[in-house]
Amino acid sequence: MDYNKRQLYGKLNRREMLVAFGVTGLSTVSPGAVKEFPAFFYSNVAEMKRDLRLKEGDTVRTAGFYRAGDGGDAMYVIVSDETLTIDEGSCISLANKLVAVLTNVRAVNYAMFGAIGDGKHDDGRKIKAAHAYANTVEVPVVNLHGNFYLGETKDILIQTNVDWGATKF
């Protein structure tokens, strides 16, 4: 099942899971890993934020930050922890005092934190949040393209490996 082509709302049933993994692929997945399979898919973060059905413990996958395919696709776990610092990238505020927390991350990019990369919008705060998260969980930042304007934000601390590819600042 390709979530870019078909939006799925609600829990996956057995048939949908078989289609998503394929019969052979599902047989190689451990029972514990199936619990980590996202229960909800959204085109973007705004759709996730609007869904009032989400509850603590749900796993969520987005196909992009602003729109499907924009590079900001990510997986989140839903928690009800009011002590978390909301940066709208690694911790995204939802309805009913819930928070979507970025999870299963091997690397981050700026789009996952809402940076636009058009050279016009000030993406500094979002880039700083991406590096702060990467520093905390010790993952690289891999951002291979985009034209990023850094306006007001200063002192972006970079403590992990970075691959900027053709990215321009």
Side-chain angles (χ1 to χ4, degrees):
M1 175 185 336
D2 184 351
Y3 58 83
N4 287 322
K5 294 179 182 172
R6 178 178 176 257
Q7 259 183 336
L8 175 65
Y9 292 100
K11 300 251 186 224
L12 291 175
N13 64 33
R14 185 172 185 267
R15 174 176 285 152
E16 290 166 327
M17 195 172 277
L18 287 171
V19 170
F21 280 115
V23 176
T24 306
L26 191 57
S27 67
T28 64
V29 176
S30 69
V34 174
K35 292 179 185 175
E36 297 300 320
F37 190 77
F40 295 88
F41 287 91
Y42 303 96
S43 292
N44 56 52
V45 169
E47 285 183 11
M48 174 180 67
K49 291 178 87 164
R50 285 192 301 263
D51 193 343
L52 298 174
R53 295 173 300 154
L54 291 173
K55 63 186 180 314
E56 187 169 14
D58 284 341
T59 53
V60 174
R61 180 86 183 168
T62 60
F65 195 89
Y66 295 108
R67 61 178 171 69
D70 67 8
D73 55 300
M75 185 177 285
Y76 304 89
V77 63
I78 308 304
V79 300
S80 63
D81 186 345
E82 295 179 23
T83 65
L84 293 171
T85 302
I86 305 298
D87 64 9
E88 295 302 329
S90 65
C91 293
I92 299 173
S93 61
L94 304 174
N96 303 327
K97 298 184 181 180
L98 295 174
V99 179
V101 178
L102 196 57
T103 189
N104 293 340
V105 177
R106 292 185 183 167
V108 297
N109 64 57
Y110 302 144
M112 292 168 72
F113 287 76
I116 296 173
D118 63 0
K120 298 174 185 172
H121 292 86
D122 185 350
D123 289 320
R125 186 176 55 79
K126 294 169 189 222
I127 289 171
K128 187 171 187 170
H131 282 285
Y133 177 80
N135 296 343
T136 300
V137 300
E138 299 178 346
V139 297
V141 173
V142 179
N143 200 91
L144 302 177
H145 58 84
N147 186 7
F148 296 94
Y149 170 63
L150 302 174
E152 301 295 319
T153 305
K154 306 290 184 229
D155 301 322
I156 299 173
L157 183 61
I158 300 173
Q159 297 177 314
T160 62
N161 290 336
V162 177
D163 183 353
W164 281 313
T167 301
K168 297 177 185 175
F169 294 97

